Amino acid sequence: STGFSTLLASVVLLRIGTSFFHPVGVSAITWTYAGKRLERALGFQSAFGNFGILIVFLAAAPLYLVLGWKSTFFGLGAVGFAVALITLVALGRTSAKRFSADEHGGDSPNDKPNPGRFGIPIFFIVAGFASGGSFALILNFANIFLESRNNLSTSEANLLVSVWIAAAFVGAIVSGASQKRFDRLALLSLYFFLPSVLIVLLVLVDNIGLVTLSLLLTGFTISGTYPLTQAELSDYLGREESKKGRSFGILFSAQTIGASVMGLVGGYLSEVLGLAHSFDVAVVSMLFAAGLTLLWKVRKPVSSLSSSGQVMSHEAKRSQLMPRISRNSSGESTGSSNISETL
């Protein structure tokens, strides 16, 4: 790039190219796994996305000093191209297991979820916006804030951010595996609430030990919201496999938009009110997402899968649907779909 316009165009194209990773990958995982194996697989998918960020974050600066910025970009691009080829070959040799209608809980028309005005319920839009935006906001502003407030060098601040990313790697794996021990939505609400408190602690306390601890827990919990939200959306969609690619695309679009909007708003808040206020929008969004998660838990529509991720039997599902079905004078069953656009 020789100017701002070409740089902007290259960034846009780069973002378009990388945007396929999450929705396509998660859709492939939901086609292949179900129940507890799905939750664990989603945790690993989110974790290794963070692992890639960590590797590039740690490797880019040394490569730049040794090879220059062009060689660094070309080298990382070559690695990405090689991974893409390996993935295509691997997927070509492996046929993803598609679950039958019986495994997903039957073929009742009431199993079909209501997509809502945005393609998926607004709960998932807000959850994606809050998690993606907060993650990007901390990734972009934490090192600058720590340099300014705690008088750290650039390398020391970047090291703390690297530790934060490493905690995110662990958080995604642990959260994916924890869903079989804890209620998923209660855990997701907690993982939205805790970062809002931890970010306030990060801003108000200048003790480097407490700052490091708050960064570790923030990375752990924010990253944990990814597999939890993805597993919940997969359960909501049930056996509607044809809609999963689009639905996960909408979810990750919300995360990307959240990253863009929060980054922009955080920059303006930093310029007008001070660097510490750049995190305000993350605190507000995470609190809102925590409350909305609890509301979704209370008013959650009946899905093809139980809230724990286990496949429901025909008898169990029929017993849940029965109270919602009434009969008219001719004996024909009438009644609204068990999926409502409540959120």
Side-chain angles (χ1 to χ4, degrees), residues 126-127 129-135 188-189 191-197 199 218 221-223 225 262 280-293:
V126 173
F129 184 93
S131 59
S134 298
F135 189 94
L188 180 59
S189 180
Y191 277 14
F192 277 126
F193 174 75
L194 284 178
S196 62
V197 178
I199 291 172
T218 301
T221 50
I222 291 180
S223 182
T225 63
M262 285 198 197
D280 291 354
V281 62
V283 173
V284 173
S285 66
M286 295 299 271
L287 284 175
F288 184 74
L292 194 61
T293 302

Side-chain angles (χ1 to χ4, degrees), residues 9-309:
S10 64
V11 169
V12 170
L13 292 175
L14 178 64
R15 191 57 183 170
I16 291 174
T18 57
S19 64
F20 293 95
F21 163 72
H22 281 298
V24 174
V26 172
S27 296
I29 290 172
T30 58
W31 290 337
T32 309
Y33 300 101
K36 304 305 177 186
R37 294 186 67 197
L38 170 64
E39 296 162 354
R40 185 173 59 181
L42 290 173
F44 273 90
Q45 192 270 347
S46 298
F48 279 91
N50 292 323
F51 183 73
I53 295 175
L54 178 61
I55 292 299
V56 173
F57 196 84
L58 293 175
L63 288 174
Y64 164 74
L65 293 175
V66 175
L67 304 174
W69 72 268
K70 287 186 178 181
S71 298
T72 300
F73 270 93
F74 282 125
L76 294 175
V79 172
F81 184 72
V83 171
L85 286 179
I86 294 172
T87 302
L88 286 174
V89 173
L91 290 178
R93 294 179 178 176
T94 305
S95 58
K97 178 184 176 184
R98 303 297 182 95
F99 292 97
S100 65
D102 288 339
E103 287 177 288
H104 275 308
D107 55 1
S108 168
N110 286 334
D111 290 341
K112 295 181 179 180
N114 188 327
R117 294 186 182 91
F118 301 98
I120 55 176
I122 191 66
F123 159 69
F124 296 104
I125 302 289
V126 173
F129 184 93
S131 59
S134 298
F135 189 94
L137 194 69
I138 295 175
L139 183 64
N140 292 323
F141 285 90
N143 53 352
I144 304 173
F145 174 73
L146 292 173
E147 285 183 50
S148 174
R149 202 274 306 275
N150 293 88
N151 296 318
L152 300 179
S153 65
T154 300
S155 59
E156 290 172 336
N158 288 340
L159 178 61
L160 281 180
V161 175
S162 299
V163 171
W164 172 77
I165 299 173
F169 172 83
V170 176
I173 293 179
V174 172
S175 299
S178 298
Q179 297 178 59
K180 57 186 176 184
R181 296 184 179 89
F182 303 101
D183 181 274
R184 179 191 299 149
L185 290 175
L187 191 62
L188 180 59
S189 180
L190 179 65
Y191 277 14
F192 277 126
F193 174 75
L194 284 178
S196 62
V197 178
L198 293 167
I199 291 172
V200 173
L201 180 66
L202 172 69
V203 171
L204 296 181
V205 177
D206 59 0
N207 180 277
I208 194 64
L210 291 176
V211 167
T212 303
L213 179 62
S214 64
L215 275 175
L216 285 171
L217 293 176
T218 301
F220 185 97
T221 50
I222 291 180
S223 182
T225 63
Y226 281 71
L228 294 173
T229 305
Q230 294 161 14
E232 182 65 21
L233 178 57
S234 180
D235 277 9
Y236 175 77
L237 295 172
R239 64 183 179 83
E240 288 294 302
E241 294 183 0
S242 62
K243 297 181 180 179
K244 284 188 176 181
R246 183 188 65 181
S247 299
F248 281 113
I250 295 172
L251 173 63
F252 290 112
S253 293
Q255 292 177 344
T256 303
I257 293 172
S260 300
V261 172
M262 285 198 197
L264 182 63
V265 174
Y268 279 118
L269 288 175
S270 173
E271 185 175 335
V272 175
L273 301 176
L275 192 57
H277 290 279
S278 59
F279 302 101
D280 291 354
V281 62
V283 173
V284 173
S285 66
M286 295 299 271
L287 284 175
F288 184 74
L292 194 61
T293 302
L294 292 177
L295 184 61
W296 174 261
K297 177 177 172 59
V298 174
R299 302 177 63 182
K300 177 183 176 181
V302 178
S303 176
S304 300
L305 300 177
S306 66
S307 60
S308 62

